[in-house]
Amino acid sequence: MSLSPYGELRSELDGLTTEAHRPDLAEIDQRSTLDIARTMNREDAGVPGAVAAQLPKISAAIDAAALRLARGGRLLYLGAGTAGRLGVLDASECPPTFNTDPSQVVGLIAGGPGAMVTAVEGAEDSKALAAEDLRRHGVTADDVVVGISASGRTPYAVGAVEYARGCGALTIGLSCNADSPLAAAAEHGIEVVVGPELISGSTRLKAGTAQKLVLNMISTISMIRLGKTYGNLMVDVRASNEKLRARSRRIVHLATGAPDPVIESALRATDGEVKNAILTILGKVDAPTAGRLLTESHGHLRAALTAAAKD
């Protein structure tokens, strides 16, 4: 006798590591708070090791992504539920951290922005919805599309990768189960297998932590490759509040060793652009020349400094 649609899905979930039940934790609700916290902490400690096992695949995906971004492409994250929220979070941090245009790194969640705080029933089950979201954003062969799904089977994430690949975009599939449909659909499949969750099926826990770590790598290392840092300094930081304005001055000081009056003068001359201010000080050039050299070096400060020395 054939299984009902729910029976088929239940059978599919039974085979997923992220959905597995831990009999050894069946009485966790009767433990002390400290004991539960210690158990969670031990579980979380294994996540970095699972990520480490995927570093060759992660780095290959990042190198390929950086090439697309360098030619003007965008980085788009798509996922449902926790996975989608993590993508939106990572994307939203790029403009203040790296001074990217808000359209350069985009997070799309199944069901739209409202799904960030309220579950949108059925949204994750639609491949067509993912295709429509990408169609609306005009995905092209220059873009990078990252499908995110702990299970690796979420139709919205799989559909996003399938549609994007059909458009010639670079595709990355990030999941927490081995041999997932998502990884199979993507050019770069990254499967960080963290094992069963403390609370069965609650993939906002270890799986969510693993996904956050990998997304940190994808965005941060891509931005390093694009010249958004100088050493480990955020030289493209956007000073949009008092804390960031103070940080901007600290970054210029760390990069140049210049005294405060020189730093203030450089930032005034460059309209607060940290990278330009550093170049005026270290390269001994005026603000317009700094702007030109950075444009010619595609935003790479080290290359601009080399060019300034030859000017």
Side-chain angles (χ1 to χ4, degrees):
M1 184 169 63
S2 62
L3 294 172
S4 69
Y6 293 110
E8 291 176 2
L9 179 55
R10 177 178 172 180
S11 178
E12 185 177 338
L13 294 178
D14 282 344
L16 298 178
T17 302
T18 50
E19 297 289 331
H21 178 244
R22 293 274 299 274
D24 57 311
L25 298 177
E27 297 181 355
I28 195 170
D29 56 330
Q30 299 182 53
R31 299 183 186 181
S32 70
T33 299
L34 179 58
D35 187 28
I36 297 172
R38 283 174 173 157
T39 302
M40 286 191 72
N41 186 242
R42 283 195 301 271
E43 292 289 308
D44 291 341
V47 174
V51 173
Q54 291 293 304
L55 288 179
K57 292 183 178 181
I58 294 169
S59 61
I62 293 170
D63 282 339
L67 291 174
R68 304 283 179 118
L69 297 175
R71 68 191 197 205
R74 298 167 297 169
L75 176 60
L76 299 101
Y77 297 128
L78 287 92
T82 296
R85 294 182 188 100
L86 289 169
V88 172
L89 172 63
D90 197 75
S92 67
E93 294 290 352
C94 286
T97 306
F98 300 112
N99 202 16
T100 59
D101 186 278
S103 66
Q104 187 176 9
V105 184
V106 178
L108 301 176
I109 183 171
M116 283 293 292
V117 293
T118 303
V120 177
E121 300 301 332
E124 73 171 54
D125 295 327
S126 175
K127 286 187 176 184
L129 180 59
E132 178 55 35
D133 284 347
L134 287 176
R135 193 178 298 115
R136 191 174 65 253
H137 280 79
V139 67
T140 74
D142 285 335
D143 294 327
V144 181
V145 171
V146 183
I148 314 166
S149 165
S151 69
R153 59 157 300 280
T154 305
Y156 181 82
V158 176
V161 165
E162 291 175 343
Y163 177 83
R165 196 163 185 177
C167 296
L170 179 76
T171 54
I172 300 170
L174 173 58
S175 75
C176 293
N177 278 289
D179 304 317
S180 67
L182 179 59
E187 291 171 73
H188 294 270
I190 301 168
E191 297 174 323
V192 185
V193 182
V194 294
E197 299 287 3
L198 182 92
I199 305 299
S200 297
S202 182
T203 52
R204 70 184 186 87
L205 301 176
K206 289 189 298 185
T209 300
Q211 290 168 336
K212 179 68 169 80
L213 292 177
V214 176
L215 295 179
N216 283 349
M217 290 182 182
I218 292 173
S219 58
T220 302
I221 300 174
S222 292
M223 293 302 156
I224 291 173
R225 289 285 163 260
L226 293 176
K228 295 289 187 179
T229 66
Y230 177 63
N232 65 343
L233 298 176
M234 294 188 296
V235 291
D236 259 336
V237 65
R238 179 176 295 170
S240 56
N241 58 41
E242 288 301 315
K243 181 188 77 173
L244 293 179
R245 279 186 278 276
R247 180 177 290 166
S248 295
R249 282 148 180 80
R250 183 169 182 269
I251 289 170
V252 177
H253 174 73
L254 288 170
T256 66
D260 287 349
V262 173
I263 291 171
E264 293 298 329
S265 176
L267 285 170
R268 279 196 302 271
T270 58
D271 295 324
E273 293 290 343
V274 171
K275 187 184 290 183
N276 300 52
I278 292 170
L279 183 53
T280 64
I281 297 170
L282 293 182
K284 297 180 172 57
V285 297
D286 59 21
T289 302
R292 173 178 62 80
L293 291 174
L294 282 167
T295 298
E296 292 172 354
S297 66
H298 305 288
H300 290 262
L301 181 53
R302 289 191 190 278
L305 284 165
T306 299
K310 296 176 180 177
D311 248 25

